[in-house]
Structure formats: C-alpha cells, structure tokens
Amino acid sequence: MSAADKVKPAASPASEDPSAIAGNISYHAQYSPHFSPLAFGPEQAFYATAESVRDHLLQRWNDTYLHFHKTDPKQTYYLSMEYLQGRALTNAVGNLAITGAYADALKKFGYELEAIAGQERDAALGNGGLGRLASCFLDSMATLNLPSWGYGLRYRYGLFKQRIAKEGQEEIAEDWLDKFSPWEIVRHDVVYPIRFFGHVEISPDGKRKWAGGEVLNALAYDVPIPGYKTKNAISLRLWDATATAEDFNLFQFNDGQYESAAQLHSRAQQICAVLYPGDATEEGKLLRLKQQYFLCSASLQDIIFRFKERKADRVSGKWSEFPSKVAVQMNDTHPTLAIPELMRLLMDVEGLGWDEAWAVTNKTVAYTNHTVLPEALEKWSQAVMKKLLPRHMEIIEEIDKRFREMVISTRKDMEGKIESMRVLDNNPEKPVVRMANLCVVAGHTVNGVAELHSNILKQELFADYVSIWPNKFQNKTNGITPRRWLRFCNPELSEIVTKWLKTDQWTSNLDLLTGLRKFADDEKLHAEWAAAKLASKKRLAKHVLDVTGVTIDPDSLFDIQIKRIHEYKRQLMNILGAVYRYKKLKEMSAADRQKVTPRTVMVGGKAFATYTNAKRIVKLVNDVGAVVNNDADVNKYLKVVFIPNYNVSVAEVLIPGSELSQHISTAGMEASGTSNMKFSLNGCVIIGTLDGANVEIREEVGQDNFFLFGAKADQVAGLRKDRENGLFKPDPRFEEAKQFIRSGAFGTYDYTPLLDSLEGNTGFGRGDYFLVGYDFPSYIDAQARVDEAYKDKKKWVKMSILNTAGSGKFSSDRTIDQYAKEIWGISACPVP
Ligand code: GPW
C-alpha cells in the first residue's frame, strides 16, 4: 500500500496537528520520490518522515541565518575534523517538541515512531570522544541561541563498521550515504577554490603569492541543527571536494584514456573518501594533511565572505573589526592550518601587512587541547608541508622566527627552553612542524577539557609558555547534551525525574537535578527508579541477544566498558579482572558460588585498523566470552560479552541499561572522558581512577557513590621509574590471571605479545607503561566492594539516584556558556 492510499498528501508546511503532519509525510513519499510510489515500508516511511521534519528545520534555519545577518553579532566558528552526530530524527522532533505529533501521525500509517527512527543510519563522521563532544557542543550552541556554526568534512564513508570474525575485528566501509542523507542540503551557491602544491611567486614590489599546482573546489552541504525549544537552528557546514568540467580532459577521454582524462576528479574524490585515512604510508599522511587544509581553507574563505556579506563597507577593509565579529575555535590541532591560512588570506589576498594580519589572527583563533599523550601530539614533516603548502610553510617559518626573537629579546631567562618551545623542530633526522606549539604561540587562548587535564597542561606540557603568557591558559570541563543523553535515550527515567522535580525544565537547566537528593531515601522513588532501570536493562539484553546471540540475565549486575580500545584506557585490566573472577568461580564450591553477585561484563569499542595490541584485546574479550558463557558451572554468575560495532545509537541503548561503568585509565592519561558523564547522568555508578573528569564527577556525586581505586596522577612517573629499576613486586592475583590466559584456557590464539606488554621491560621497551600491574590489586578490591554494595538493593538504588542528582555540572550547556563568555566573547542572539 502506498502512503497516499492511507493518507491524502498535503504539501502545506507541516503544522503540529497529526493529521496535517501525516498529509505532509504522504506528500514527501509521493513528491520527493526516491522510491516507487507503490510501497511504503518502514524505510520509505523513515525518509518521508525525515523530509517532513526537515521542512520545520529549514524554516528555522533560514530565519536564524537572516536574523544573524541583520543583527551582525560576533559569531563563533567551531572547526573540527570530526562530528559524531549519530541519528537525527528522534533528536530533531524532540528538540522541536513535536515528538507526540509525529508519533500520532505515523500511527495513521500503522507505524511506531521508535521503529521508524531505528531505520536511520548513524552519521559517524568521527572516531570517538572528540567527535561526539563537537556534536554535543552544536546542540548546546543552538539551544543557547548562540551565533555559532560548526565546520567539518563530508566524508563519503564514516568510521568503519566493526565485524567480529574468527580472527577478531574486521573493518567494513560504513556507507552512511547509501541512498542519501535526508538532513543535508547541498549548497551549489557556496563553492570555494582550494589549491594544493604549486610554488610561491614574488612580484616586483616584493609581494609573495601562491600559484600553480592543482585547484579543486570545496562545495558546502548544510546540516541544520535545531536547538531545544527555541526558534534558532544553526548550521553544521560540511565540505565536499569536487573538480569542474574544465578539469575533465575531453580530448583524452575521446582518445580512450578514461582514467587520465578524469584524474583531478578522482583526486577530488579521495579527499573526502574516508574519515582518518591510514597514515602508515607517506601517501596516507599526505592525504590526511590535504583533508586538514581543505577544511581550514574552505571554512576561512567562507567566514571572510560572511564577514563582508553582513556589512557592505567591509569589502574595503576594516580588518581590525574582524576579531570583534569572528571567533574561530580549533578542536585539537587537526585544524591548526587555520592559522597560516588566515594569515595568507589576510596578507596575500586582502593586502594586510604582517603585523596587522598577525594581530587579527591572534585575536581570532583559540585552541582546545584534548590529550597529553606524546604520540597523539601532531607533528608534520616540514618536507611534506613545503611540497603541499609552500606559502604556508613560509608563514610558519616566519612565525617560528618571530617567536624566537621575541623570547630572546624579552625573556633572557627562557633562552635554554627555546628549542623545545619552538614551532619548528629542525632535528636533522626528521625536521617537523609541531602543531600544538603553533597553536599555543598563535592562539589567544588555550584550554584543557577537565580540571586535572588543564592543570597538567599548565604544570607540564605547556609550563614554559605559562611563564610567558600566564593568562592564556584556561580550563573548560567537557559536557554532554542532556537532551540526547537522558531525555531522549532514556524516556522512562526522564519521566520519573520530571515527575519528582515537578518540572521538565531540567532538560535545559541540568543543575535542577540536585532537587532529587532530598528524595534519595524515598521508597516510592526507589521502586519507580528500579523499575525504569529494569526496563532499560531488558532493552539492552534484547540488543545483546540480537547482535551476539548471547542471552544475558537482567537480574545480574550490568557492568559496562564502552570506548575506543586503547592500552591507556586499560580494557586489558578489565578483562584480566574477569578472567580472575572466572578462575575463582571455578575453584569455588557450588554452595559458595550461590553467594556471589551475578555479573554480566560487557565491553565494546573499535580498535584503529593498524593498532595491533588493541585488536588483540578485542580478540581476547571475545575468546574469554566464548569459554565463560558456555561453561555451565559458572555462567549463571558470570557472562562476558563483546558488543560489536559500538557507535552512538548503540550507546543510546547501552548507557540507560548499565549499572556499573568502568573508566579505569591510568591516572593522567585520559584528558576528560565524556561517556563517564553520560553513565552517571543515567544513574549508573562508576568504578574508576582519579583521571580526567572522573575527579570532578566524584566530587559532584559524592565519594560514597563512586568506586575509586588506583594510583594518582602525581605518582605515575615515580612508579614507572621504580618499575624500570626492578622495584615492582607484582601481586600474586595479577600473575595468576595472566598465567591462566597463557595456559591456553581461552583457546590457541597466541596472547604472548599482548601479555608481555604487561611485563618488565618488554612492551616496546617501556614495560607495562600504563601500570596495569600496579593498579590491578586495588582494582580487584574495588570490584569486591561493588559486589557487596550490589547485594544491598536499597543502598544501590540510592547510589544510582545520587549519581543522576549530581550530574548537573556535566551539561554541555554549562561548558558552552563558559566558552561563550570566557573565550569567544559572544552572546545569545535568539530569533524573535
Ligand atoms: F588526540 N580525544 C579523542 F587529543 O577522542 F586529539 N580523539 C582524539 O584524537 C584526541 C582526543 C586527541 C578525546 C580524549 O581522549 C578524551 O579524554 C576527551 O574526553 C575527548 O577527546 C573530548 O575532549
């Protein structure tokens, strides 16, 4: 049956009346025809519904654009190589407060909104925390009516899909644009030229200019981002790379040379083909650098265009006004090229001198650091930069030179530090550009993403710069959007919160959650709270059964660790703990087993395709699960499940259903973490180290409602030294767990290299760098405290309530409000 057979099509802009909405959905099914008009299955229903919702979004998006144009406020542009948007339908109708109307409309076709929303593919244009943070920020910017936009790349294939095969993780291209995305609007009127390679020309008057090489086009796709219960909708502008008809060599094509005829077209396609191309090869590195420059150049050309568009007289200059109208935030160092690109555009295109251009650039750009791990700090080969971006390399050299001169002339005492503070590292083996140093030198503000992390930046990584620019450094503790991460993903718990707080205002004022504290011992609340948790656990159990075939018991303790697989995040410690638990269960009498708290340990996350040890960890979790889950002696008390293909929409099912979540990185290594905030908000108790935002979460929810263990950040360096000096005495439980795996208890796969990374000095010459051995005993002890606490149902539910009640601080609305006031200097600009 077609949509029109059920409901008469109506082109009129959808109102909030379910019949009118149904008519509009039917209209889209007929007149935005991507499918045969005869069928109206769930997939067609999704696309027609999304297009109908898009009508609402576009109205707001246009109104907001015009309003910003008219009022000309200072605007923020968030530059990020990653956005992890996930699905958009539930969020869009939720933010527009038309969920009920759309649910009723879909019923007229015999569909449930939830099922139709499940048809949507995740937009996974990011790897993990950094990308998801950018997406939460967009939601908060729109909700706070801030004049701000996001810029990113429109990757053809997002983060790979993970499949678990016999050999472990396999990566498959994630085809999120298969068919099409109903949320993006291609903007054929927004196109900028982007040059690569070429050379620098010097005109007779000494002016330098980049010329030659190859020129591609950046084409804009706009994704409207609605705020929660506001008329504002902002833009996520994603760039795609294209080549023109002029680049197509018709002569060659007619001569049968099809490939060389379309060479530039195929090179354009490579730019946005995938998120994070493998960078083990020189080609891969070059492609990644091209991507970064592509984002920066297209975005800055667009920003300058809009600066001029908003006031006609700006065409002739007024550049000193630029920083009072534009703020550019660089999400980590990935968009660092925004610095030399803005300098180039101002000097070579707009005709400013160095000092003027530098003043404008410095007042415009700011940098967020997301890691202190040395291997994650970007360094680009000077040779590659010179070849791809010769004019930018000149500008970077000049920045480096002037920085050195400034230090030498104003800070004699710092002379010895200059080499490590410089932008250029000229070591003859491999001369590189240090992107983080460039950001610190050129930006007006540098921020970390949690108190502890920002302190480490100030005291260690960037300490020398602090003595030069004491006011440049700030903290902005990360946050998450309470819309997606409680209101929409956990409707059962949301209703309870609203009922007890007697308002749903917490959705945009999360501090109101503290109002739950006074009911923390209320038995009625306890009963409702536990029932909501059980409902979410059942939904989670169904997901696990669907994707793994493993049946898990909703009455067992649901213990979850989901995040990218990385040695510093220590999934290996988690699985060693599960192995130790399994061994003890096996050794126990049947009578003793009955006293054990039944647990389901779930681990999910993707390993970077070339990160061997991370892939071994994935394999180990799967192998342990295969043995434990089929062991009839113990599988009532322990199950171990690897959740495949962890992504945003999987998180939306897992987080509400979890009771204990693991954030167990080596102290000082996890800059912040953000899923820790999502779990806590959903009434899940954390077992964790004093790392990243865990420190602040524990402060907010109370130390009795957090299972703490492990070394502190300031002990780590000393512990590593001790270890090198042979002063470390491993706990027998640690040895026992490793030995059990080595014995082949979990199959024939060779785990020797993985386990050896935890020994003495064998792991890449830095044996057990992440201190699994040191923290293991206190981890096991903390897990034993968890088991005891869970036996006392009342105590556990109270801990759960107090976690939710203490999560108000971690709203990204708070974070973005602080960025707006303390870094960007922008204020709300609501559409009247
Ligand atoms: F290396 N983060 C991430 F710092 O997800 F750039 N990807 C990255 O490439 C980097 C950091 C980078 C994460 C941090 O690991 C996490 O601790 C933090 O919560 C998150 O960024 C958002 O700030």
Side-chain angles (χ1 to χ4, degrees), residues 693-729:
N694 286 357
V695 178
E696 291 158 76
I697 294 174
R698 180 165 170 268
E699 262 165 35
E700 295 293 314
V701 305
Q703 57 180 39
D704 296 342
N705 305 305
F706 186 109
F707 294 96
L708 181 71
F709 74 94
K712 315 276 179 289
D714 58 10
Q715 294 174 274
V716 166
L719 289 167
R720 283 185 183 142
K721 266 256 127 43
D722 287 354
R723 192 139 189 166
E724 267 170 47
N725 297 330
L727 296 174
F728 170 66
K729 290 232 166 20

Side-chain angles (χ1 to χ4, degrees), residues 64-81:
T64 309
Y65 191 94
L66 292 173
H67 184 62
F68 289 175
H69 178 78
K70 211 170 65 198
T71 48
D72 190 28
K74 181 172 184 183
Q75 182 161 337
T76 293
Y77 298 97
Y78 197 79
L79 265 56
S80 179
M81 288 285 283

Side-chain angles (χ1 to χ4, degrees), residues 782-812:
Q783 287 289 18
R785 296 201 302 276
V786 170
D787 289 327
E788 279 318 297
Y790 196 73
K791 285 179 185 160
D792 183 347
K793 283 285 161 287
K794 230 171 149 173
K795 177 174 170 182
W796 190 272
V797 176
K798 183 176 179 181
M799 289 172 88
S800 171
I801 294 169
L802 290 174
N803 265 274
T804 303
S807 290
K809 174 177 174 185
F810 305 104
S811 168
S812 47

Side-chain angles (χ1 to χ4, degrees), residues 298-313:
S299 306
L300 279 164
Q301 291 183 64
D302 196 40
I303 291 166
I304 289 175
F305 169 83
R306 199 158 316 104
F307 173 68
K308 292 178 176 174
E309 180 191 48
R310 285 196 186 154
K311 268 215 181 103
D313 64 347

